[in-house]
Amino acid sequence: MSEAGRVLSWSKAPWHASLAPSLPLDPRLIGQLLQHISTRVAVIDRDLRYVWANDQALGFMGLPADQVIGRHLSDVLDPGLYRSFVPLFERLFAGESLHLEGWVDY
């Protein structure tokens, strides 16, 4: 599917199905890796609330952590962007995987 300069590819296979088995990683190490990579990472729970965001994501939003973490997406995102994300999250939380290529307007 293509929309607004983006290519969305959906799969019924779980996102982790293609990953090779690996050694368990220390959660502190994972947290440090995610905090210091140059990619924006935010974790959203099933209630569509931010539970974690790295500095890249917070910097992109232009907001401090206390104005993001624990807040509902609709409180942080532009209303139009929020509405466009809801159907994606519904499918993701239903178990589908999404590969997105292209730009996302915030």
Side-chain angles (χ1 to χ4, degrees):
M1 172 193 327
S2 179
E3 57 181 65
R6 298 184 288 177
V7 177
L8 286 76
S9 304
W10 288 95
S11 170
K12 295 284 186 185
W15 64 271
H16 52 78
S18 63
L19 297 177
S22 61
L23 297 174
L25 291 176
D26 182 325
R28 293 171 296 175
L29 174 61
I30 294 170
Q32 288 295 312
L33 290 170
L34 291 175
Q35 184 62 277
H36 296 288
I37 62 174
S38 61
T39 300
R40 296 182 293 266
V41 179
V43 178
I44 310 300
D45 67 14
R46 290 184 180 270
D47 294 325
L48 300 183
R49 293 187 179 280
Y50 287 95
V51 294
W52 188 83
N54 70 0
D55 290 340
Q56 289 287 329
L58 295 170
F60 184 75
M61 292 180 211
L63 297 170
D66 64 349
Q67 290 182 15
V68 175
I69 307 306
R71 307 277 309 268
H72 194 272
L73 261 67
S74 64
D75 295 332
V76 177
L77 300 177
D78 169 81
L81 181 61
Y82 168 73
R83 285 190 299 275
S84 74
F85 278 173
V86 170
L88 300 178
F89 282 114
E90 287 173 350
R91 290 181 72 174
L92 291 168
F93 286 133
E96 291 186 67
S97 298
L98 171 64
H99 176 83
L100 185 141
E101 293 181 36
W103 295 100
V104 176
D105 295 324
Y106 289 90

